[in-house]
Amino acid sequence: MSLPKPVMRGLLGKRLRFHLPIAFTLSLVAAIAFMYAVTEPRKRAYADFYKQYDATKEFNAMKEAGVFESERPSVE
């Protein structure tokens, strides 16, 4: 009793017809999950940060700390 020959003709096309829609669907789900799990919270965090951010106050704090070489801390 011998084993039947494997069907090799059209194997790639047959497997692609099965796996391509699955891969496309999974990649779409992963992209949507990444968008809602990572990018949306990050955008909200940046928006919240810049609502309260005062660049002038931050600059003056860094100037007083001596971060800049071109700006001397004010002596009081």
Side-chain angles (χ1 to χ4, degrees):
M1 199 158 120
S2 64
L3 292 173
K5 287 187 172 185
V7 178
M8 300 300 282
R9 187 177 300 271
L11 184 64
L12 176 63
K14 182 179 167 186
R15 291 188 58 87
L16 279 178
R17 274 193 300 276
F18 178 76
H19 287 102
L20 202 59
I22 293 171
F24 182 75
T25 305
L26 288 177
S27 66
L28 190 62
V29 167
I32 291 171
F34 185 81
M35 184 179 77
Y36 285 111
V38 176
T39 59
E40 291 299 322
R42 185 179 291 171
K43 284 197 283 189
R44 276 195 306 273
Y46 275 103
D48 292 342
F49 175 78
Y50 282 109
K51 280 179 189 172
Q52 321 168 17
Y53 183 69
D54 185 12
T56 307
K57 179 182 166 188
E58 203 65 33
F59 170 75
N60 289 332
M62 286 190 282
K63 185 172 90 171
E64 295 303 318
V67 173
F68 303 115
E69 292 179 8
S70 62
E71 290 283 331
R72 302 245 182 240
S74 62
V75 180
E76 292 182 17

